[in-house]
Amino acid sequence: MKGFAVSLLGLWLVPLVALAQQPADLNTITAISVSGGTVEITGSKKPDFNSFTMTDPPRLVIDVSGAVFQGVAEEQPVGNGTVTGIRTATYGTESASIARILIGYEREVETDIQSSGTRLVVKVLGSGGGTAVAQATPAEGQGTPAQGTTAAANTPAGASAQDAARAAASDREAQEKAVKAAADAARAEREAQEKAAAEAAARAKADSDAELKRQEEARVAAQRQDEERRKSEEAAVAERKRQEEEAQAAAKRAEDERRATAQAAADQKRQREEEAKTAAEEKRAAAQAAAEEKRAAAQAAAEERQAAARTAAEQKKAAAQAAADERRQKDEERRAAAQARREEQQSAREAAAEAKRQQAAEARERRQQQTVAARESRARPSQGSAAAESRESGGGAVSSRRKTMTLVGFQQQPDSSRVFVRTNEPVRYSVSGSGNQVVLELENTRVVESNNTLPLDTHFFPSAVSRVEAFSGAGQTVRVVIQLKQGVRYETRQEGGLITLDFPRPGR
């Protein structure tokens, strides 16, 4: 029974001793260096890390899981214009240690964190700060991070370094509280395990003492009677078997309780890590949302500037087009006048004396009719509507010679949009409208220049007119088709060789 008690006590103590002596395969961080806006963290394994930012003053916090520091100063002042300083701390249990690196910056910056082998490189995007190196140098008598470190001299360089030092002190207090809480939890777990081991040892000793007493009584009874000794031995064997079974059951229950306790601790730790990760993700999401809003505002401003630039370009283009139309109109008028003179000269050479007398008579009659028609045209301007089908004509008395259309154009008036057609002399015409289309037809007229048949696209103007196009029609006529954005009333006038159609602007 004594040997059984010793073996039972071993079942409790061996796992505890093995757990205490089990080596931890941790990532050992041996150096942290700074070059301008770049911080390089060197360890013995590929880092497993999380990061988040803090403000007022600006800081970047990196937590490396399963890691400890060796030969790295707790505080490293830098002050190179970009990085103010670096602080380090270790917290958590020995088997689940977390190494924290806090990097202070002179201002709010954007960082890029890359893992390369056993190194962790933190770069400031767009940073052009000075160059400085802060290398970890262990102080005399300095131990491992779990045993405590000797803080490096911290002489702040300006107000930003003082802010970083105050923020570092605040972080250090929070980390010390976290370390103390973790140590208290570990101590409570260890005390519970020691208490369970002591209770098991006490039960084993009590069982051993009782067994010794029963064996002594059995020996005394054996001296008195062999039969009673045999019965006692059988009873002792049965008792030992029962006690062994109870001890095994107790050991199993204790192992199950220990595993349940360890599982509960692991679940709590995992929950805390998930909560920290969730908080970091929420913070990153908020930062990303703010950045998206900023980018959207910048894009909207850029689009407004582009729209203003496009409007200015369109106005400039319209002005240039109007100037070009005016120049083209003058050129066409000069060419038409020259053509008309040539035609008149040819007609004069072919006409006989009798034709000249007839032309003189027709000229007198034409002048009289033109005078009357001009007076009537100025007194009563014609009006039409494109909303319903209509037709009107004009031109009064004109010559029988074939006319030439020299120009078709578009102009923006203060209250209306004008489509005008110029001929080398007065011409008879008719205007018809149907739906969103108005057609001006010039009788006994031709188009000499092909440029006058090119369409005019006016849809981008604030006008009821969207397109104007002229082409030769049937029976020696010229048709000018005017497409409208909507049906509106219009006014038609003829003054000499100029026919105008005025369309009111929308909303007027």
Side-chain angles (χ1 to χ4, degrees):
M1 291 299 292
K2 183 176 182 180
F4 170 71
V6 173
S7 63
L8 181 61
L9 181 60
L11 292 175
W12 281 90
L13 297 180
V14 170
L16 297 176
V17 174
L19 182 63
Q21 293 178 351
Q22 182 179 1
D25 186 13
L26 300 177
N27 184 1
T28 303
I29 298 175
T30 58
I32 301 177
S33 61
V34 182
S35 177
T38 302
V39 177
E40 183 174 312
I41 303 167
T42 303
S44 61
K45 296 173 58 180
K46 183 177 181 180
D48 179 14
F49 67 94
N50 291 316
S51 65
F52 60 94
T53 59
M54 303 177 70
T55 58
D56 197 18
R59 288 158 288 168
L60 174 65
V61 179
I62 301 175
D63 286 341
V64 183
S65 301
V68 295
F69 294 103
Q70 181 175 345
V72 179
E74 186 177 355
E75 295 185 3
Q76 301 180 23
V78 179
N80 63 1
T82 301
V83 180
T84 59
I86 296 176
R87 293 192 67 258
T88 61
T90 304
Y91 61 95
T93 61
E94 183 178 357
S95 59
S97 176
I98 296 178
R100 170 168 290 184
I101 300 99
L102 185 144
I103 305 173
Y105 293 100
E106 293 286 353
R107 60 190 178 278
E108 296 287 347
V109 297
E110 293 185 3
T111 58
D112 177 54
I113 306 176
Q114 297 290 337
S115 175
S116 177
T118 61
R119 295 183 300 112
L120 196 62
V121 180
V122 183
K123 294 182 178 180
V124 174
L125 299 180
S127 174
T131 302
V133 177
Q135 181 65 39
T137 304
E140 182 178 357
Q142 182 178 1
T144 63
Q147 297 171 347
T149 58
T150 302
N154 185 12
T155 304
S160 60
Q162 292 177 358
D163 294 341
R166 286 194 295 270
S170 176
D171 291 340
R172 185 168 58 249
E173 291 178 1
Q175 293 169 358
E176 289 174 353
K177 289 180 181 179
V179 170
K180 183 178 178 182
D184 292 342
R187 185 170 57 253
E189 182 180 357
R190 187 171 59 253
E191 289 176 355
Q193 293 175 348
E194 291 176 353
K195 182 178 179 181
E199 290 177 354
R203 287 196 298 269
K205 187 175 183 303
D207 292 340
S208 178
D209 292 342
E211 182 62 22
L212 291 174
K213 183 177 179 181
R214 281 192 293 273
Q215 288 178 359
E216 183 67 23
E217 291 175 354
R219 285 193 298 270
V220 172
Q223 293 176 358
R224 291 194 301 267
Q225 191 174 6
D226 292 338
E227 186 62 27
E228 291 181 1
R229 180 182 60 77
R230 286 193 303 270
K231 291 181 180 180
S232 296
E233 289 178 355
E234 292 176 356
V237 170
E239 184 65 19
R240 281 197 301 273
K241 184 177 181 181
R242 184 185 63 79
Q243 289 177 356
E244 288 174 356
E245 293 175 352
E246 290 180 355
Q248 291 176 357
K252 184 177 180 181
R253 286 195 300 272
E255 180 65 18
D256 292 341
E257 292 176 358
R258 185 188 65 77
R259 290 179 178 175
T261 303
Q263 182 65 32
D267 292 341
Q268 291 178 357
K269 179 181 178 182
R270 185 166 54 254
Q271 183 179 1
R272 287 194 297 270
E273 291 177 350
E274 290 177 353
E275 290 175 354
K277 184 177 180 181
T278 301
E281 291 177 351
E282 291 176 353
K283 188 171 184 180
R284 284 195 296 271
Q288 185 176 0
E292 290 292 340
E293 291 179 358
K294 185 176 180 181
R295 283 195 294 271
Q299 184 176 359
E303 290 177 353
E304 290 179 359
R305 290 194 297 270
Q306 291 175 357
R310 284 195 300 270
T311 302
E314 290 175 356
Q315 293 176 352
K316 186 175 180 181
K317 182 179 179 181
Q321 180 67 28
D325 291 343
E326 186 175 357
R327 289 193 299 270
R328 186 176 63 185
Q329 177 181 352
K330 292 180 180 179
D331 293 340
E332 293 294 339
E333 288 177 353
R334 286 195 295 269
R335 286 194 294 270
Q339 180 67 21
R341 285 194 297 271
R342 288 193 296 271
E343 291 178 355
E344 289 176 358
Q345 291 173 0
Q346 181 67 23
S347 298
R349 286 192 297 268
E350 294 176 355
E354 186 177 356
K356 290 181 180 180
R357 287 193 299 270
Q358 292 177 356
Q359 289 175 356
E362 290 177 357
R364 285 194 299 273
E365 183 180 358
R366 184 172 63 250
R367 282 193 297 271
Q368 293 174 358
Q369 292 176 351
Q370 286 178 349
T371 301
V372 173
R375 289 174 182 175
E376 291 178 354
S377 176
R378 285 192 295 269
R380 294 188 301 277
S382 61
Q383 293 185 348
S385 173
E389 184 174 1
S390 63
R391 186 175 185 88
E392 59 186 55
S393 61
V398 297
S399 69
S400 60
R401 289 191 301 272
R402 188 149 182 208
K403 316 302 185 298
T404 301
M405 189 190 76
T406 60
L407 182 65
V408 59
F410 173 83
Q411 288 181 341
Q412 286 286 75
Q413 303 295 327
D415 296 326
S416 63
S417 301
R418 172 171 292 179
V419 177
F420 61 89
V421 177
R422 191 179 300 276
T423 58
N424 61 334
E425 61 179 275
V427 63
R428 291 189 61 82
Y429 69 91
S430 63
V431 182
S432 61
S434 177
N436 291 343
Q437 186 180 83
V438 175
V439 179
L440 171 64
E441 187 168 320
L442 308 178
E443 300 178 2
N444 194 24
T445 307
R446 62 183 176 180
V447 181
V448 177
E449 298 292 335
S450 60
N451 287 341
N452 289 328
T453 62
L454 297 177
L456 300 178
D457 186 5
T458 62
H459 76 280
F460 50 83
F461 288 102
S463 167
V465 180
S466 64
R467 182 183 177 91
V468 180
E469 186 175 5
F471 52 89
S472 298
Q476 296 183 348
T477 62
V478 174
R479 292 169 56 86
V480 180
V481 179
I482 304 170
Q483 296 291 341
L484 302 178
K485 299 176 183 176
Q486 60 187 32
V488 296
R489 296 185 62 83
Y490 57 89
E491 292 184 357
T492 306
R493 292 178 182 271
Q494 182 181 33
E495 295 181 2
L498 179 66
I499 302 175
T500 60
L501 291 88
D502 292 335
F503 300 86
R505 293 189 184 181
R508 294 182 180 272

